[in-house]
Amino acid sequence: MIKRFDTISTRIFSVLLFGILSSAALTGWLAFGERQHSISNERNSYRADRAKHAEQLIQAIDALPAANREGLLKAIHRFGLKVVSVPTNVPHYQASTPYGIALSERLSKSFKIIPLPPAPENCLMRPDDRGPVEACEALIFVLSDGSGLHQTIFPARPPTTPVQTETYYYLALFLACIAGLALFVSRMTIRPLQQLAKAAADLGHDINRPALAESGPKEIRQAVSAFNFMQLRIRDHIQQRTQMLAAITHDLQTPLTRLRLRLEKVRDPELHDKLVGDLSNMQLMVKEGLDLARSMDSNESLQALDIDSLLDSICVDASDAGHDVALIDKSKITVMARPQALRRCLNNLLDNAIKYGHRARIHLIQSTEAKQKWLHICVRDGGNGIPPDQQERVFEPFYRIESSRSRETGGTGLGLTIALNIARQHNGKLSLTNLPEGGMEVRLSLPVKN
C-alpha cells in the first residue's frame, strides 16, 4: 500500500494540491481581513454620520420651546428620544458603545451628558417595537432649560443570515476543480518520464527497438534525444562485440578442421587420443563461443509459441540420443518468444542436467505476481546440487565448479551464461535451487501475456 503512493506522480499531485489550497486559504484570509477592515471603516463612518445627525437633532430640540418638543419627538420617534427629568446621584458611568463614545465626544462640549447604568428599565423601546433588551446604553443630555433628553443606544444586531446551501456546492466544486487541475498537471508532467522508464525497460529486452519520438517541451526532447543516442551507441557496441566474437570463433573452425585431418597421420595411438581430445575441447569452445554470440543477438523476431510442443520436441530429441529425459506436466500455454533462441536455452539447461545430474525431469508451474502471469519451466536433475555461495557465479562466463576439462565432465562454462542471456531477452528470469530430496532445479520463468 505504501509503494502505491510512493510515486512521483502522487508526490507532484500532493504538492500541487497542497500549494493551491494553501494559496487559496491565504488569499481568502487576506480578503476576509480586508473585508472586515472595510466594514469597520464603513461602520465608523456611519457612526460618525449618525453622531453628527444626532448632534444637530438635539441642538434643534434644545432650541425649541419645551411645549413644542413632545410633538417633534413623536414625529421622529424612530430616533428613540424622550424628554425625562434629570436624575440626581447617578453613579459615574463611561460610554461603552462606539456610537455612544462618538456621540459623547461631539455633544459633551455643548451639553452635559449623564450616562445611566445598562439596566433594562433604562432602555427605551426599540423603534421596531421588539421590546426592551438587557444590553443597551442609556444617555441623558441636559438641555439648556435644565430638562433631560433620554436616548438609548442599542448594540448592533448580530448577522442572522444563515449560510446558503449553494455555498457548500460552490466550495465543493472549487475543491473538485483544484483537485482535477492538480491531477492533470501531475499526470502531464510524469507521462514523459513513464515513457522513458518503459523505453529503458524495453531496451534491456530488445536493443533494436524503434527510437523514441522526440516531441514535447525542450527539456523532454533533450532527454529523449540523449536516450536515443545512448541506445544507438549501445547497439553499435554490442553488434561490434558480437561480430568480433562470431568472426573469431568462425574463423577458428577452419584451422581446427585442418588440425583434425593432420592428426590422422600421428602414429602414436596414445598421443593421437590426447591430441584429438584437446582438439575436441577447442572445437566445443568455438561452438559455444558462437552460441554465446548468437545469444546476444536479438534480431530473431518474436512469435507465438506453443511451449508444450517445443518441450515435447526437445525431450524426444534427447531421448533419441539415449538420455533420461521426461516432460512431467503440460501447460497449454502460448508464449511470445524467439523459437531458436528459446530452444537453445532449454537445450543448454537439459545438457547441464544430464551431464551433472544424469537425468532431467521437466515440470511446468504457473503463478501470478503483481497481476503478471508467469510460466515456470523447472528442469530437475539427480545430481549433488551446487553450493549456495556459488549459485550466482555459475552464470559468469567460463566459470565452472568442475575444474577438469575431460569429455565426461568438461565444458566451457558458457552454457548457463547463454541461457541467462536468452532468458533476459524474453523478459524472463533464471534461478537455481537445491532440492531437499537431492539434486538441483533450474527454473526458467517466462512472462505470459494476459
Side-chain angles (χ1 to χ4, degrees), residues 4-189:
R4 176 181 295 181
F5 293 96
D6 189 19
T7 61
I8 296 179
S9 178
T10 305
R11 293 183 180 183
I12 293 176
F13 171 76
S14 302
V15 171
L16 283 175
L17 185 60
F18 176 77
I20 294 175
L21 291 179
S22 299
S23 300
L26 178 61
T27 304
W29 179 73
L30 293 175
F32 178 78
E34 180 64 26
R35 179 176 178 272
Q36 293 298 107
H37 181 68
S38 300
I39 292 175
S40 178
N41 290 338
E42 184 178 352
R43 285 178 176 175
N44 290 336
S45 176
Y46 177 71
R47 294 188 192 107
D49 290 341
R50 283 190 62 192
K52 180 179 180 181
H53 294 160
E55 177 187 11
Q56 294 174 351
L57 180 59
I58 293 174
Q59 289 177 347
I61 293 173
D62 182 58
L64 287 175
N68 298 332
R69 290 173 183 170
E70 289 295 336
L72 177 61
L73 291 178
K74 289 181 180 179
I76 57 172
H77 65 87
R78 62 188 182 88
F79 285 95
L81 295 174
K82 181 180 180 181
V83 176
V84 296
S85 59
V86 178
T88 58
N89 299 325
V90 176
H92 180 71
Y93 182 75
Q94 297 293 330
S96 58
T97 64
Y99 172 65
I101 295 173
L103 191 59
S104 299
E105 290 176 352
R106 298 187 69 92
L107 294 176
S108 60
K109 299 177 181 179
S110 304
F111 301 94
K112 180 181 179 180
I113 300 177
I114 303 176
L116 299 178
E121 59 271 15
N122 293 326
C123 297
L124 298 176
M125 297 292 290
R126 283 185 180 274
D128 54 4
D129 295 330
R130 293 183 180 179
V133 295
E134 296 183 358
C136 72
E137 183 175 0
L139 300 177
I140 292 181
F141 303 95
V142 181
L143 302 179
S144 57
D145 61 358
S147 61
L149 189 64
H150 183 188
Q151 183 179 24
T152 302
I153 302 170
F154 293 95
R157 291 185 181 273
T160 57
T161 304
V163 178
Q164 300 296 322
T165 306
E166 290 79 2
T167 303
Y168 296 106
Y169 293 153
Y170 295 151
L171 179 60
L173 179 61
F174 170 76
L175 294 177
C177 292
I178 292 298
L181 176 63
L183 182 61
F184 172 76
V185 172
S186 63
R187 289 190 173 181
M188 181 182 65
T189 304

Side-chain angles (χ1 to χ4, degrees), residues 69-333:
R69 290 173 183 170
E70 289 295 336
L72 177 61
L73 291 178
K74 289 181 180 179
I76 57 172
H77 65 87
R78 62 188 182 88
F79 285 95
L81 295 174
K82 181 180 180 181
V83 176
V84 296
S85 59
V86 178
T88 58
N89 299 325
V90 176
H92 180 71
Y93 182 75
Q94 297 293 330
S96 58
T97 64
Y99 172 65
I101 295 173
L103 191 59
S104 299
E105 290 176 352
R106 298 187 69 92
L107 294 176
S108 60
K109 299 177 181 179
S110 304
F111 301 94
K112 180 181 179 180
I113 300 177
I114 303 176
L116 299 178
E121 59 271 15
N122 293 326
C123 297
L124 298 176
M125 297 292 290
R126 283 185 180 274
D128 54 4
D129 295 330
R130 293 183 180 179
V133 295
E134 296 183 358
C136 72
E137 183 175 0
L139 300 177
I140 292 181
F141 303 95
V142 181
L143 302 179
S144 57
D145 61 358
S147 61
L149 189 64
H150 183 188
Q151 183 179 24
T152 302
I153 302 170
F154 293 95
R157 291 185 181 273
T160 57
T161 304
V163 178
Q164 300 296 322
T165 306
E166 290 79 2
T167 303
Y168 296 106
Y169 293 153
Y170 295 151
L171 179 60
L173 179 61
F174 170 76
L175 294 177
C177 292
I178 292 298
L181 176 63
L183 182 61
F184 172 76
V185 172
S186 63
R187 289 190 173 181
M188 181 182 65
T189 304
I190 204 64
R191 189 178 297 113
L193 296 180
Q194 291 175 335
Q195 293 175 348
L196 279 178
K198 185 178 184 302
D202 294 341
L203 184 64
H205 311 306
D206 183 12
I207 193 63
N208 297 313
R209 61 176 302 281
L212 290 175
E214 299 181 10
S215 59
K218 178 180 178 182
E219 295 79 4
I220 298 299
R221 294 198 305 270
Q222 291 176 342
V224 172
S225 176
F227 180 86
N228 290 337
F229 182 70
M230 177 192 69
Q231 176 182 347
L232 179 62
R233 292 290 301 274
I234 293 175
R235 182 169 58 230
D236 291 343
H237 175 72
I238 292 177
Q239 289 178 349
Q240 292 173 4
R241 188 180 68 172
T242 303
Q243 291 172 358
M244 180 180 64
L245 180 59
I248 292 174
T249 53
H250 181 270
D251 291 344
L252 281 175
Q253 293 195 43
T254 301
L256 289 175
T257 302
R258 290 199 300 265
L259 282 175
R260 180 175 289 276
L261 293 174
R262 290 172 181 173
L263 283 177
E264 298 300 327
K265 299 179 180 180
V266 177
R267 303 301 180 188
D268 186 343
E270 183 179 356
L271 178 60
H272 176 272
D273 292 340
K274 289 182 179 180
L275 292 176
V276 169
D278 291 340
L279 186 60
S280 297
N281 287 335
M282 292 176 64
Q283 288 180 322
L284 178 61
M285 292 181 65
V286 170
K287 176 182 178 300
E288 293 197 354
L290 281 172
D291 289 340
L292 178 62
R294 293 191 188 102
S295 72
M296 294 183 292
D297 185 8
S298 59
N299 288 328
E300 186 181 6
S301 60
L302 290 169
Q303 54 185 279
L305 184 63
D306 184 353
I307 200 68
D308 292 337
S309 299
L310 177 63
L311 290 173
D312 276 332
S313 174
I314 293 174
C315 289
V316 168
D317 292 342
S319 297
D320 292 344
H323 300 305
D324 185 7
V325 176
L327 176 61
I328 306 301
D329 305 305
K330 297 285 187 177
S331 65
K332 299 180 180 179
I333 284 181

